Amino acid sequence: MNSPSTQFVTSRGMGIYEPIHQIGMWGENFKSNGNPNIPTSMIVAADTKLDCQSEDTSHGSLGPPYKYDQEANKPRDRVQRRLAQNREAARKSRLRKKAYVQQLESSRLKLVQLEQELERARQQGLYLGSGVDTGHPWNSGTVNAGIAAFEMEYGNWLEEQSNQICELRKALSAQIRDAEMRFLVENVMSHYSKLFRMKATAAKADVFYVMSGMWLTSAERFFLWIGGFRPSELLKVLASQLDTLTEQQIVEVCNLRQSCQQAEDALSQGLEKLQQIIADTVAVIPFPEPTYTPEMACAVEKLDAPVRFVQQADYLRQETLQQMSRILTTRQAARGLLALGEYFERLRALSSLWATRPHEGAQSFKGE
């Protein structure tokens, strides 16, 4: 039984189902609900006309309207300063990235030179073998520059996220104006969008690296779903921290969670189908296989599909965040994003504690 929110199509005749229109219809569904609690962050303030009458112009004095303009421009000045700081941080990040990529390229050249020397030694009978096979690409020891760049960018992303969490925490405690709070919320949302773009580039370089979660901590990998967090679980984390939701907001959050679960199930089923197809294809390839066969070429072509699954999963994650921000008010969204950031920080802290825990085997050995 297919509802309008769960329409799927078959991709390339492979029997892999992909969700279409489901995420895109969320916005239309929420618009049609007629929610009276429209988030203030999504409302554009109407132009306000002020009657500016100058007083004592002969003495060069300025009246109350000028003072009002000065007060109104203060949030804008703070926003401009933050934008300038962000641009400077981005410039420094680009410089660090450039230096790191150059270092990687230098290391790659050294590895190539080392491989050539090992090959010459092997041909001369001086290299007796130690399990290293320089004739196969998976043992060549080359560095994937795309993944190395992603790891560096992700480290910078985590550092910036930590700063944003601190800013949100201070802003919620200080009760700043809605305009400033809206700026912080949009900045955090843009930061998550940047992560999804970084992952899309990394998936093209090595999709299995992204899907395996090697760039995450062990506790985060425990909850991994197609290269990231599961959106429906994300909504549980956010909703549990918001005790001021109206009845209409609760209904919309429940509808959004149900749509997320339907899309997640569709993607999971499609990925399982793809795994079965690739397994069946590889099973019939003769062994020892030549470097190229039609069966092997077919299997390699199907390996492009996981990239699309990562992209669709990240699209679902991004749309979930955006829809949640539309349902909530500006301050509710700020509290939700703060709770989300702190949740991931606790997962990373849990991984560190797990890695540094006392080992029972070592303790029992010392006791003996």
Side-chain angles (χ1 to χ4, degrees):
M1 181 175 64
N2 294 332
S3 62
S5 63
T6 57
Q7 298 178 2
F8 309 100
V9 295
T10 303
S11 174
R12 295 189 178 182
M14 294 165 51
I16 304 170
Y17 296 96
E18 299 180 359
I20 61 171
H21 303 308
Q22 179 173 351
I23 312 304
M25 292 175 62
W26 289 346
E28 297 298 330
N29 291 336
F30 287 131
K31 290 178 182 178
S32 63
N33 287 336
N35 178 16
N37 299 295
I38 300 177
T40 57
S41 61
M42 307 304 297
I43 301 177
V44 180
D47 294 336
T48 305
K49 297 182 180 179
L50 300 176
D51 295 331
C52 299
Q53 299 178 353
S54 60
E55 297 181 0
D56 299 331
T57 55
S58 59
H59 297 85
S61 61
L62 297 177
Y66 177 75
K67 294 182 180 179
Y68 177 84
D69 291 340
Q70 280 186 324
E71 293 296 328
N73 286 334
K74 287 183 179 179
R76 185 180 304 173
D77 293 339
R78 283 193 287 267
V79 169
Q80 292 297 331
R81 284 197 299 271
R82 286 198 179 97
L83 289 175
Q85 293 173 355
N86 290 342
R87 285 194 294 269
E88 179 64 17
R91 186 185 68 82
K92 292 181 179 179
S93 177
R94 288 192 297 269
L95 292 176
R96 289 195 299 267
K97 176 182 176 181
K98 182 178 180 181
Y100 189 75
V101 171
Q102 291 175 349
Q103 182 181 1
L104 287 176
E105 181 62 20
S106 177
S107 299
R108 187 187 69 83
L109 294 176
K110 292 180 181 179
L111 285 172
V112 171
Q113 183 180 1
L114 179 60
E115 290 172 1
Q116 293 174 350
E117 293 175 355
L118 290 174
E119 179 64 18
R120 285 195 299 267
R122 186 186 65 82
Q123 293 176 354
Q124 295 172 2
L126 300 177
Y127 179 64
L128 300 179
S130 60
V132 179
D133 188 352
T134 57
H136 293 80
W138 52 83
N139 287 329
S140 61
T142 57
V143 177
N144 190 324
I147 295 303
F150 169 77
E151 289 182 344
M152 183 197 67
E153 291 177 345
Y154 182 65
N156 295 334
W157 188 91
L158 286 178
E159 183 179 354
E160 177 61 24
Q161 185 194 41
S162 179
N163 295 334
Q164 291 179 347
I165 291 174
C166 293
E167 288 184 355
L168 282 176
R169 190 180 296 113
K170 293 178 181 178
L172 289 169
S173 300
Q175 295 294 321
I176 64 174
R177 297 181 180 180
D178 286 346
E180 295 180 80
M181 187 69 74
R182 188 181 305 117
F183 171 80
L184 294 177
V185 169
E186 292 174 353
N187 196 24
V188 174
M189 295 290 292
S190 177
H191 195 55
Y192 277 107
S193 298
K194 179 182 178 181
L195 174 62
F196 299 139
R197 291 193 298 269
M198 288 163 46
K199 288 175 58 183
T201 303
K204 294 178 181 178
D206 188 349
V207 66
F208 300 112
Y209 169 88
V210 176
M211 294 186 70
S212 65
M214 296 304 296
W215 47 285
L216 297 170
T217 60
S218 55
E220 289 174 296
R221 288 197 298 270
F222 181 71
F223 298 97
L224 191 68
W225 177 77
I226 313 184
F229 56 83
R230 191 179 286 270
S232 59
E233 295 297 326
L234 162 69
L235 291 177
K236 293 179 182 178
V237 174
L238 294 180
S240 64
Q241 302 295 324
L242 304 173
D243 54 357
T244 60
L245 294 181
T246 64
E247 292 184 1
Q248 181 65 26
Q249 287 177 317
I250 294 175
V251 170
E252 292 184 354
V253 170
C254 291
N255 291 337
L256 179 59
R257 182 184 302 168
Q258 183 179 4
S259 298
C260 285
Q261 291 173 342
Q262 292 174 352
E264 290 168 9
D265 291 342
L267 284 175
S268 297
Q269 293 172 9
L271 186 59
E272 291 176 1
K273 184 66 175 178
L274 173 64
Q275 291 172 341
Q276 186 61 45
I277 292 174
I278 295 178
D280 294 341
T281 303
V282 174
V284 300
I285 297 177
F287 187 84
E289 78 283 358
T291 56
Y292 177 85
T293 63
E295 295 85 0
M296 185 64 75
C298 181
V300 171
E301 182 180 356
K302 288 180 174 59
L303 292 180
D304 290 335
V307 177
R308 295 196 298 274
F309 276 95
V310 171
Q311 292 172 347
Q312 289 188 6
D314 277 346
Y315 178 74
L316 178 60
R317 283 182 271 265
Q318 183 173 12
E319 284 296 312
T320 301
L321 286 172
Q322 291 179 352
Q323 290 294 341
M324 197 69 177
S325 68
R326 295 187 185 107
I327 296 173
L328 304 177
T329 64
T330 300
R331 295 186 180 275
Q332 287 175 335
R335 287 197 297 270
L337 291 173
L338 175 61
L340 180 62
E342 291 177 341
Y343 172 75
F344 288 123
E345 282 190 340
R346 287 193 292 270
L347 280 181
R348 289 190 286 269
L350 180 63
S351 297
S352 299
L353 293 174
W354 169 258
T356 58
R357 75 192 188 285
H359 295 282
E360 295 180 0
Q363 290 179 347
S364 62
F365 179 77
K366 291 180 179 179
E368 294 176 357

